[in-house]
Amino acid sequence: MRQPLVAGNWKMNGSRASVATLLDGLKAGVGEVRNAEMAVCPPFIYIPQVQEALRGTAISWGGQDVSTEASGAFTGEISAAMLLDFGCTYAIVGHSERRTLHGESDELVAKKFAVARAAGLKPILCIGETLEEREQGITEQVCARQLDAVIELEGVAALADGVIAYEPVWAIGTGKVASPEQAQDVHAFIRGRVAALDNAVAEGLRILYGGSMKPGNAAELLAKPDIDGGLIGGASLKAEDFLGIGLAAN
Ligand code: 13P
């Protein structure tokens, strides 16, 4: 059985005060979430604050990105070792906002996956098509290309150490959630592609859905056989909403 993972991607949001309030709310309510593992991915600068607050709780944390480099003259970058130094379990790689706004290629994202994994982090690999690509009918090709970049670099077994997040770009921050059937179709495609190479890896692989997931639509998404949790943006910024998604997995 795959334990659902509900991970919050806070993106570039928060202040010391709002982070403290959010963490207090999460700590107070997480006990009722019985079925899902909960994790938060704050902006790097708030990771020490998150570690202080969440140490010893059931909630884990991670970075929103990671450098391909170990150390040295890489201004603005954060290494996998630094994330581990602050207790991170996860590192998101290849979020569509980084692919689009920072020009990250499939190859670069695959390298980030590899570096995070080698360091002992669990990479959360984001893949997904734009609206234009969906309308062209190439959703599966796009997801396959983004997934294959990691498999080609690291081998299929590497996926056992990570998580995949299917995030259709047209559903991110738009309020336009994929229907449970639309999401399930792509999740099944992803799992099938992995299964063709290694069935055991495919069976154990957690594939999260991301894109306008809210407490009100989470249960029907999570009820689908190949949807193993969520990567949550906007709704992860309010404790009640984020916990509500975790409760939907109960
Ligand atoms: P929203 O939940 O705000 O649509 O964001 C999803 C996302 O991009 C999570 O990584």
Side-chain angles (χ1 to χ4, degrees), residues 61-99:
W61 57 93
Q64 295 176 12
D65 186 26
V66 65
S67 177
T68 55
E69 304 300 329
S71 68
F74 302 101
T75 302
E77 295 281 280
I78 298 284
S79 72
M82 291 171 182
L83 293 178
L84 283 166
D85 205 13
F86 284 86
C88 288
T89 301
Y90 293 100
I92 297 172
V93 298
H95 191 280
S96 67
E97 286 148 21
R98 297 222 49 100
R99 292 180 189 263

Side-chain angles (χ1 to χ4, degrees), residues 4-19:
L5 170 64
V6 176
N9 174 10
W10 293 358
K11 307 193 181 182
M12 195 173 75
N13 292 293
S15 64
R16 261 139 88 95
S18 73
V19 166

Side-chain angles (χ1 to χ4, degrees), residues 5-9 11 41 63-64 90-97 99 109 113 122-129 139 142-144 146-147 150 159 162-169 171-172 183 186-188 190-191 194 205-211 213 226-233:
L5 170 64
V6 176
N9 174 10
K11 307 193 181 182
C41 297
Q64 295 176 12
Y90 293 100
I92 297 172
V93 298
H95 191 280
S96 67
E97 286 148 21
R99 292 180 189 263
V109 171
F113 185 103
K122 295 180 187 169
I124 301 176
L125 171 69
C126 299
I127 63 175
E129 81 289 0
T139 295
V142 170
C143 292
Q146 294 173 339
L147 177 65
V150 171
L159 294 177
V163 176
I164 291 180
Y166 168 59
E167 299 206 308
V169 178
I172 294 177
V186 182
H187 284 231
I190 294 165
R191 197 180 310 285
V194 176
L205 181 63
R206 292 190 290 186
I207 306 176
L208 317 183
Y209 168 80
M213 199 163 171
D226 289 299
I227 302 182
D228 309 310
L231 186 57
I232 322 299

Side-chain angles (χ1 to χ4, degrees), residues 2-38:
R2 299 182 291 268
Q3 188 194 21
L5 170 64
V6 176
N9 174 10
W10 293 358
K11 307 193 181 182
M12 195 173 75
N13 292 293
S15 64
R16 261 139 88 95
S18 73
V19 166
T21 304
L22 176 52
L23 293 171
D24 282 347
L26 294 180
K27 283 198 286 187
V30 71
E32 279 156 55
V33 177
R34 289 189 302 278
N35 226 0
E37 177 190 347
M38 305 293 286

Side-chain angles (χ1 to χ4, degrees), residues 42-49:
F44 290 130
I45 200 162
Y46 295 116
I47 290 178
Q49 187 182 353

